[in-house]
Amino acid sequence: MRVLLITDIHANRVALEAVVQDAGAVDAVWCLGDVVGYGPRPNECCVWVETHAAITVVGNHDWAALGKLDLDDFNEGARQSTLWTVEQLTPYAYQWLDALPNRYIEGETTLVHGSPRHPVWEYLLRPAQAAANFEYFDTSVCFVGHTHAPAIFQEALARRGEPSYVPPYGEPIALTNGRYLVNPGSVGQPRDGDPRAAYAIYDPDTCVIEFRRLAYDVELTQRQMREAGLPESLVVRLARGL
Ligand code: ZN
C-alpha cells in the first residue's frame, strides 16, 4: 500500500499541487493538519484535502481559523494571516475543518498534528520530549507535523537522549526496529532552512517510509500572498525555508 503523507500545507496550493504530481499514484492520502493559515489559498486546499485524504487530523492553525485558539499565543504574522483566513473561509471549509478529529488511529499507526501527548499544540523537538511522548500512544508508529521539519525519533535512541535524525531523501527507510515518532516535514512552509516542499510516501504494510523534497514555484505562491495582502514577513520567509 502506498500512502501519501502530507502535513502543514498552510494554504499553499502551488506546493500542494507539486507534491501531488511528484508523488504519482497512491492508494491513500493521510494529512496531519494545518491545512490553512499563513498561505493564500485556504479554501482550495480544504477542498483538495477533503476530497482526496482518507484521514485528516486537525492542526493548531486550523483551530485558530475556527476561533478555537487564543490568537495572543501567535506572533504578529501568524495572527494577521489567521484574521485574513477567517474572513476567507467558506462555510463549507469551516464546517469541514470543525469536524476534524485531533487524533486518528489506523492499524498500527497513530496520526496527530503536534504530539500524542498534546495532539494540537506541542512541538516535538527534543529527545526527552519524544521519550515522554512514547507513553501516549500504543501503535508502533506515530506520525506528527507542526514543527515544519522532517524528523525521525526512534524510541530507544530518544530514551538515551539521542536527537532526532533525517534520513537521506528518496531512499526507503524501514521503521521496524522498535517504535517511532515521525514527521514528514511541511508541504507549504518548510522551516529547516530548505524552501523545497517536504512530504513522505509510507507503506503501512511493510512500515517502510521514503522522505522526499522537491522544488516548487515559490515565487508564484509569493505573488498570490502579496495579492492577498498577507504580511510581507511571511512572504519573505517562504523563499528562505524559515
Ligand atoms: Zn503548521
Side-chain angles (χ1 to χ4, degrees), residues 42-127:
N43 292 311
E44 291 171 27
C45 289
C46 284
V47 168
W48 192 92
V49 176
E50 199 263 343
T51 307
H52 295 92
I55 303 169
T56 305
V57 292
V58 76
N60 58 313
H61 280 263
D62 305 319
W63 264 16
L66 297 168
K68 290 184 175 182
L69 277 188
D70 189 347
L71 293 189
D72 290 347
D73 292 334
F74 276 19
N75 63 40
E76 187 54 22
R79 199 181 68 80
Q80 282 184 32
S81 79
T82 299
L83 294 173
W84 180 87
T85 303
V86 169
E87 280 176 20
Q88 303 297 316
L89 273 192
T90 62
Y92 175 89
Y94 183 98
Q95 282 168 20
W96 174 70
L97 287 172
D98 196 33
L100 294 177
N102 63 15
R103 177 194 303 265
Y104 197 98
I105 297 166
E106 174 76 12
E108 269 306 307
T109 313
T110 300
L111 297 98
V112 292
H113 178 67
S115 76
R117 178 166 55 183
H118 300 295
V120 176
W121 196 245
E122 183 178 21
Y123 289 91
L124 214 49
L125 296 165
R126 298 186 305 278

Side-chain angles (χ1 to χ4, degrees), residues 7-10 33-34 36 38 60-61 113 123 145-148 186 189 191:
T7 186
D8 297 278
I9 297 162
H10 283 293
D34 276 7
V36 304
Y38 295 127
N60 58 313
H61 280 263
H113 178 67
Y123 289 91
H146 197 37
T147 66
H148 297 207
S186 169
Q189 199 204 68
R191 286 184 200 154

Side-chain angles (χ1 to χ4, degrees), residues 108-189:
E108 269 306 307
T109 313
T110 300
L111 297 98
V112 292
H113 178 67
S115 76
R117 178 166 55 183
H118 300 295
V120 176
W121 196 245
E122 183 178 21
Y123 289 91
L124 214 49
L125 296 165
R126 298 186 305 278
Q129 253 183 321
N133 265 286
F134 279 102
E135 310 295 332
Y136 290 83
F137 67 101
D138 297 322
T139 57
S140 56
V141 177
C142 177
F143 288 117
V144 301
H146 197 37
T147 66
H148 297 207
I152 295 178
F153 283 105
Q154 196 255 10
E155 183 172 15
L157 293 178
R159 291 194 188 286
R160 291 207 298 268
E162 299 275 341
S164 63
Y165 61 99
V166 187
Y169 297 113
E171 289 180 21
I173 309 292
L175 303 177
T176 49
N177 186 19
R179 298 169 72 226
Y180 297 84
L181 282 155
V182 180
N183 189 328
S186 169
V187 169
Q189 199 204 68

